[in-house]
Amino acid sequence: MDTLSVWRGTAQGTGFAMLDGEATADVLIIGGGITGVTLAVLLAEQGKQVVLLEAGEIGSGTTGNSTGNLYETVANGMQEITSRWGAEVARHVAQERRAAIDFVQSRCDKLPDVGFRRWALVQWAQATSDQPSIDKEIEALEAAGARVERANSVPATLPAAMGDVLVLRGQAQFHPQAYVAAMAQMAAKAGARLHEHSRVLELDTKKRRAVTASGAVQAREIVMATHTPKGIHLVHTEMPVHREYAIALEMDAEAPSPGPGTFWWHGSEGLSMRTVQAGERHFLVLAGQEHKVGIHNAKAGLMSLENLAQKHFAGRPVAWRWSAQNYRGADALPYIGRNASDCFVATGFSTDGLTWGTVAARLIAAELLGHKAAFADLVKPNRLSPVKGAKNIIEENVTVVKQLVKDYLTSRQDEKLSALQPGDSAIVDVEGETLAAWRAPDGELFAVSSVCPHMGCKVHWNSVETSWDCPCHGSRFRPDGTVIEGPALSPLKRKEMPSLAGGEPEEPATGG
């Protein structure tokens, strides 16, 4: 299934060359999303020698697969931060995120039009039983100093509200892929060297050296702006990992629509909604519930979202389908700053990455330029908040251990490689080795190690995105074993099976 986002499908490419040969830098940035590119701009403008390495294309990770919303609150609710940390910290969070939106707007004033607009964020309940959460969120936002109001209705084209509606003024939206591509050009003009299709294969944090397939970079400082740090880090044990699916419905320009704004419908189903205009085309973007990586049924998750869309917006064709991964901090705050590896990391953004990514770039830039911000201590990666985050840390590690035990003691499938039909997948034993196998629609067989090289968990098949996903820490791999995302540096080792690589399968199978 094609899972290209509306942002990546409607933005121009950047075309930066691969890294070729040896390079040196004051700062090496790994990752070309909003965090890495914003940081490259800020450092290059101050005369720092910057090299940025992006495994795919600029914005092709979470940034280009987001919903394009910017807001001072957080998706899981400001009430969570208030209850864990108190109103004063909630005020700091709102201030930092508000400043990040202002920063994006100031940059957009210098860029081609990337769709930046100021709108309100609107939240309401699906059922009367969900209303107390909306009321508490209004109180938490008031305590955090936000411009929050109560209303009694939402636009007629949206599902009706069951009580008071939360309206947060002064929030924003933009085209995230167009923004990060334009910012990348700004970084290059300021002197930063950006390289696409330059995946880091080896990373020596002590020697400050990163190796790609076609070169290497030696740097004074390393920043892992990769959504989750590469390699093995303590924060991996603290962060639940989820995927969230999104679709864009094609809308008639003359048909009724909810109008501009970010709309969050809270309850057992749940939807995030916004309108988008790309050229002459109009879309309604919908994002659904979160699903645990590697454990959920990806096809069921996407179909649930599409069914919900048809229920409330019947007759609108789906033009784009995509998903994104998120990592949530155990205590409701992200991890930004220098960690135990003596490198900088920026992770734990939950589904608030566009704003947190901008916050992270500004905090890291400030520290690298010699003036550390006060907020940096609150989100430092090595903070100790056992009471605030202990429950989530314990739950996440119990999940990891359960998955390890389940996958190593339970045989999930009993298939023969030769029996796999085109499009089928299976975990199979071949000559004493357990392999993750998939047969492509053209009949080509891909068989790779079923063990994630990050920390040894077994991968699971994602039939929507044609990938092997690790349920423990979120590493994802293509059918040939190539790393897509996550903390893993090395690929799943491919097993060459020439005798089974083509031809007709011997018998029907039911994998996938």
Side-chain angles (χ1 to χ4, degrees):
M1 182 182 295
D2 185 3
T3 55
L4 187 68
S5 74
V6 65
W7 316 116
R8 297 189 62 210
T10 58
Q12 296 293 319
T14 46
F16 292 106
M18 292 176 60
L19 177 68
D20 184 15
E22 295 280 337
T24 59
D26 293 327
V27 181
L28 166 63
I29 301 170
I30 305 173
I34 194 168
T35 306
V37 170
T38 303
L39 180 59
V41 170
L42 294 174
L43 294 177
E45 288 179 342
Q46 296 301 313
K48 292 288 186 181
Q49 292 182 329
V50 176
V51 172
L52 183 149
L53 301 178
E54 164 56 40
E57 299 174 353
I58 295 295
S60 62
T62 305
T63 296
N65 290 294
S66 63
T67 54
N69 296 315
L70 301 161
Y71 40 84
E72 66 192 85
T73 186
V74 292
N76 291 328
M78 193 63 79
Q79 58 187 300
E80 181 181 14
I81 293 177
T82 302
S83 65
R84 289 178 184 270
W85 293 91
E88 185 63 26
V89 169
R91 279 192 290 273
H92 286 315
V93 168
Q95 288 167 2
E96 286 293 327
R97 290 177 60 83
R98 194 181 305 126
I101 300 171
D102 292 342
F103 170 87
V104 172
Q105 182 172 13
S106 70
R107 289 290 166 166
C108 287
D109 290 342
K110 303 174 183 178
L111 300 173
D113 184 13
V114 295
F116 183 92
R117 304 290 186 273
R118 289 279 188 173
W119 311 118
L121 184 152
V122 180
Q123 300 183 47
W124 71 104
Q126 286 182 10
T128 53
S129 58
D130 301 316
Q131 188 60 40
S133 178
I134 298 296
D135 295 332
K136 289 180 182 178
E137 185 61 13
I138 292 173
E139 294 172 2
L141 286 167
E142 288 175 339
R147 290 175 51 202
V148 64
E149 304 170 8
R150 288 180 185 264
N152 54 24
S153 65
V154 296
T157 54
L158 297 174
M162 294 293 105
D164 281 354
V165 176
L166 183 161
V167 180
L168 187 59
R169 304 289 181 187
Q171 309 312 294
Q173 296 174 338
F174 65 165
H175 190 305
Q177 183 70 30
Y179 174 77
V180 78
M183 286 285 281
Q185 298 295 345
M186 181 179 283
K189 288 180 181 178
R193 290 168 288 170
L194 287 75
H195 299 283
E196 295 179 307
H197 305 291
S198 299
R199 180 179 298 279
V200 172
L201 303 176
E202 299 176 23
L203 182 63
D204 190 326
T205 56
K206 292 183 179 179
K207 295 182 179 179
R208 297 287 201 275
R209 182 176 174 81
V211 178
T212 72
S214 56
V217 180
Q218 186 72 48
R220 291 192 178 96
E221 297 280 5
I222 294 177
V223 178
M224 285 184 265
T226 47
H227 205 40
T228 186
K230 294 296 183 182
I232 297 175
H233 300 267
L234 183 60
V235 293
H236 293 146
T237 67
E238 302 181 11
M239 298 189 298
V241 191
H242 295 85
R243 290 196 76 74
E244 186 178 45
Y245 293 91
I247 57 176
L249 303 180
E250 187 94 38
M251 305 290 285
D252 188 327
E254 305 302 321
S257 79
T262 299
F263 303 98
W264 289 352
W265 188 41
H266 290 273
S268 59
E269 294 178 313
L271 276 176
S272 165
M273 296 161 277
R274 64 160 292 188
T275 55
V276 175
Q277 182 175 350
E280 299 300 316
R281 300 176 72 186
H282 296 259
F283 304 97
L284 178 65
V285 171
L286 307 175
Q289 305 284 61
E290 293 183 332
H291 305 274
K292 187 74 175 71
V293 173
I295 297 175
H296 74 291
N297 183 320
K299 187 172 292 185
L302 181 59
M303 289 306 300
S304 175
L305 175 60
E306 293 196 23
N307 290 338
L308 196 57
Q310 287 305 309
K311 177 181 176 181
H312 296 288
F313 307 99
R316 309 297 182 186
V318 178
W320 310 91
R321 298 173 175 87
W322 70 97
S323 70
Q325 195 144 295
N326 71 78
Y327 303 79
R328 185 181 305 150
D331 56 11
L333 292 178
Y335 304 100
I336 302 168
R338 196 185 296 276
N339 73 353
S341 71
D342 204 27
C343 297
F344 287 86
V345 301
T347 189
F349 295 165
S350 189
T351 54
D352 308 311
L354 295 175
T355 308
W356 274 135
T358 304
V359 170
R362 299 178 76 217
L363 291 177
I364 294 171
E367 186 164 347
L368 287 172
L369 294 169
H371 41 89
K372 187 176 181 180
F375 189 74
D377 284 332
L378 190 61
V379 293
K380 61 186 180 183
N382 61 342
R383 65 181 181 268
L384 182 63
S385 53
V387 175
K388 299 180 179 69
K391 182 174 181 290
N392 286 341
I393 292 172
I394 292 170
E395 287 178 353
E396 179 60 13
N397 283 281
V398 166
T399 298
V400 170
V401 171
K402 283 183 176 178
Q403 202 59 48
L404 274 167
V405 171
K406 174 185 174 184
D407 286 345
Y408 276 93
L409 296 183
T410 305
S411 177
R412 298 204 297 276
Q413 290 173 295
D414 182 18
E415 302 284 357
K416 295 180 179 180
L417 282 175
S418 58
L420 290 182
Q421 296 277 2
D424 281 350
S425 65
I427 301 296
V428 298
D429 288 325
V430 178
E431 299 175 352
E433 184 178 3
T434 304
L435 300 175
W438 176 72
R439 191 179 290 278
D442 65 2
E444 183 178 4
L445 180 69
F446 294 86
V448 297
S449 169
S450 64
V451 179
C452 176
H454 177 237
M455 292 186 71
C457 295
K458 292 288 188 71
V459 296
H460 293 221
W461 182 245
N462 179 330
S463 59
V464 170
E465 299 172 274
T466 319
S467 63
W468 291 105
D469 299 352
C470 178
C472 292
H473 303 105
S475 293
R476 300 179 59 243
F477 307 86
R478 294 188 178 89
D480 66 357
T482 305
V483 177
I484 298 174
E485 65 179 306
L489 280 166
S490 54
L492 298 175
K493 187 176 180 182
R494 186 170 182 181
K495 182 82 169 181
E496 295 298 335
M497 312 289 291
S499 62
L500 297 173
E504 295 295 323
E506 296 175 358
E507 55 185 272
T510 57

